[in-house]
Amino acid sequence: MTTPSSDAPGARVLFRSDRVFKVWRYGVGHSQLLLRSVPDDTENRCLDILFEGVSAMQLVTRYASVELMSAIAEEADRILEFSGLDPKWEDRFLVVSLRSESGSGTVLCRKVSALRGGEDPFGSEGAFEDGDVLWSTGG
């Protein structure tokens, strides 16, 4: 599958990070998807990308040097059709495209945020639980 470039017509970069993120958690009950970058030799704190109100997603499990972008029309149409949502609700959702060196993806959600957290990715200090919001969009 080809990864559309960040200069595709209609695409706008929303958030960018050079860190490596992995799909960390998906909770059906709360419709939340968490991508986490754990501390390493150069970074001593977790960095999370939290999607809330998730209705559909198409992902790979690892994203290196990720860009979150507004989806181009074709991507938005494809994920909306895939989701099975009535098109009259489309204005209540964000369609976010993920681009990276290791793959691409699309998430249909209501809100997405980047959060910086603690040093222990498995403990209560992960960014998801009580992190500092670095960036957020949606409602």
Side-chain angles (χ1 to χ4, degrees):
M1 173 177 7
T2 335
T3 301
S5 71
S6 57
D7 58 355
R12 180 174 50 95
V13 176
L14 304 170
F15 178 79
R16 175 181 292 137
S17 175
D18 290 331
R19 293 177 66 168
V20 175
F21 290 84
K22 293 181 181 177
V23 174
W24 200 259
R25 180 185 317 161
Y26 175 69
V28 175
H30 294 289
S31 301
Q32 294 181 334
L33 168 67
L34 178 65
L35 305 182
R36 176 165 285 172
S37 177
V38 298
D40 60 17
D41 294 339
T42 59
E43 299 289 340
N44 64 352
R45 294 174 70 189
C46 292
L47 182 60
D48 289 347
I49 300 173
L50 176 64
F51 298 87
E52 299 176 76
V54 176
S55 291
M57 60 186 154
Q58 190 171 25
L59 301 170
V60 296
T61 58
R62 182 178 177 273
Y63 291 93
S65 297
V66 71
E67 286 184 334
L68 273 59
M69 305 173 59
S70 57
I72 60 174
E74 294 82 13
E75 291 172 310
D77 291 344
R78 188 171 47 248
I79 196 80
L80 280 165
E81 182 179 342
F82 174 73
S83 75
L85 286 174
D86 187 326
K88 72 179 181 183
W89 301 112
E90 91 180 78
D91 62 336
R92 296 183 181 201
F93 291 90
L94 302 167
V95 182
V96 180
S97 294
L98 291 85
R99 305 284 179 261
S100 78
E101 297 169 358
S102 55
S104 62
T106 309
V107 178
L108 178 65
C109 62
R110 293 186 186 261
K111 181 178 181 180
V112 59
S113 305
L115 308 148
R116 185 177 315 277
E119 297 176 4
D120 180 3
F122 300 104
S124 63
E125 294 182 4
F128 173 65
E129 289 82 7
D130 54 9
D132 300 321
V133 177
L134 301 177
W135 167 85
S136 184
T137 189

